[in-house]
Amino acid sequence: ALDPLASAAWIAVADLDARGSEGRVFRAAPLTLEELVDVFADQIVSGDEVVWDERTARVLARRIRRLGALVLSEGALRHPDADAVSRALAAGVRASGLQTLPWDRDTRQLRERLTFLHALDPDTWPETSEEALAASLEAWLVPFLAGMRSLADLSRVDLNEALLARVGWDRRGDVDRLAPTHLEVPSGSRIALDYSDPDAPALAVRLQEVFGMTETPTVGGGRVSLTIRLLSPAHRPVQVTRDLASFWRDAYFEVRKDLGARYPKHAWPEDPLSAKPTRRTKPKG
């Protein structure tokens, strides 16, 4: 038969075994919420709770009445503190991982550029490793979470601005000056630089586009020579160097033989320093 206490919302237990949530109750009496409030009025506290809920992947905002560990009542909080909501959402990002943020090619490159600058001058530029960003979400991300409450809302975050906020307005121009996104080569092409290795930022370019380039380009205010990944007309790797002058002097002539055999319709001049650079994959005619 169904125990008469099974339908009671609250019960006062006088005797039970010690098996925790699986325990058996031997003696108890039903209680009403009104009786609890009447007897323990001086111990009941009310408060607002703004927390990250992993199950729903969103921030929950509730007003709760408690008697010790007992939740007597709770209801949705219609107008929670905006900063508390943003901080709870940041806690959700920390728990779920930075991959929940809207990274794209530009924001990934910006992060890599900032990582390069930090490696170059750690006293001036903030650290942007995953660990450092996760530990400092309140400082750089929270100000950009206004009006958001769920992981789905994070698609609206201006991640570029959030990352640059760590740099400060006075140094934004230095980011582009010291770690430019692109480099214009002699052919006229603007080619994106690769900062994925902060110790060796790189330029991948077809060899024909840098005919006449005698000096290895640099970043970091001239402190770091780019790693030049020279490519064939089909964008296949040909040579890697951090000293173009040495490449033209010592290695080009062997490379020229190989490329001449593989791409006979292309011009491979004996004097690459006086040859006209070209961005065309195939010659005219």
Side-chain angles (χ1 to χ4, degrees), residues 30-241:
L31 285 173
T32 65
L33 180 59
E34 290 75 15
E35 289 172 326
L36 279 172
V37 171
D38 183 55
V39 174
F40 299 103
D42 59 336
Q43 298 178 45
I44 295 174
V45 295
S46 297
D48 297 339
E49 185 179 83
V50 180
V51 296
W52 175 251
D53 183 62
E54 186 175 353
R55 183 181 61 83
T56 60
R58 64 182 299 107
V59 175
L60 297 183
R62 301 173 293 183
R63 177 156 291 166
I64 299 177
R65 284 198 306 166
R66 296 180 184 274
L67 171 59
L70 293 177
V71 175
L72 301 181
S73 64
E74 62 178 279
L77 191 59
R78 292 188 177 183
H79 303 290
D81 178 76
D83 185 61
V85 172
S86 295
R87 288 178 178 276
L89 181 54
V93 172
R94 183 175 288 119
S96 304
L98 293 183
Q99 73 276 2
T100 57
L101 295 173
W103 299 99
D104 58 21
R105 183 175 60 183
D106 290 340
T107 53
R108 287 190 179 92
Q109 189 198 44
L110 174 58
R111 179 181 170 188
E112 290 170 351
R113 292 162 65 205
L114 293 175
T115 298
F116 161 71
L117 291 173
H118 175 75
L120 192 67
D121 188 354
D123 293 331
T124 301
W125 299 96
E127 186 178 356
T128 52
S129 67
E130 184 164 344
E131 294 77 12
L133 289 178
S136 59
L137 289 174
E138 287 74 17
W140 67 274
L141 183 63
V142 163
F144 293 86
L145 297 180
M148 304 179 197
R149 294 186 68 159
S150 70
L151 291 186
D153 291 337
L154 294 175
S155 62
R156 308 201 311 266
V157 173
D158 190 337
L159 200 51
N160 247 43
E161 284 299 310
L163 290 171
L164 286 173
R166 306 189 78 220
V167 171
W169 283 102
D170 57 331
R171 290 205 301 270
R172 286 194 178 202
D174 291 336
V175 176
D176 291 332
R177 180 176 62 84
L178 299 172
T181 60
H182 293 72
L183 179 76
E184 184 171 329
V185 296
S187 66
S189 295
R190 289 186 74 254
I191 299 177
L193 299 182
D194 178 3
Y195 292 89
S196 57
D197 181 350
D199 296 322
L203 167 71
V205 59
R206 287 179 296 182
L207 188 151
Q208 293 166 304
E209 297 204 50
V210 290
F211 285 158
M213 179 182 278
T214 58
E215 295 185 6
T216 306
T218 62
V219 289
R223 295 166 61 184
V224 180
S225 295
L226 287 173
T227 296
I228 311 299
R229 299 171 184 157
L230 295 168
L231 309 175
S232 73
H235 294 271
R236 294 189 175 92
V238 170
Q239 190 86 2
V240 177
T241 182

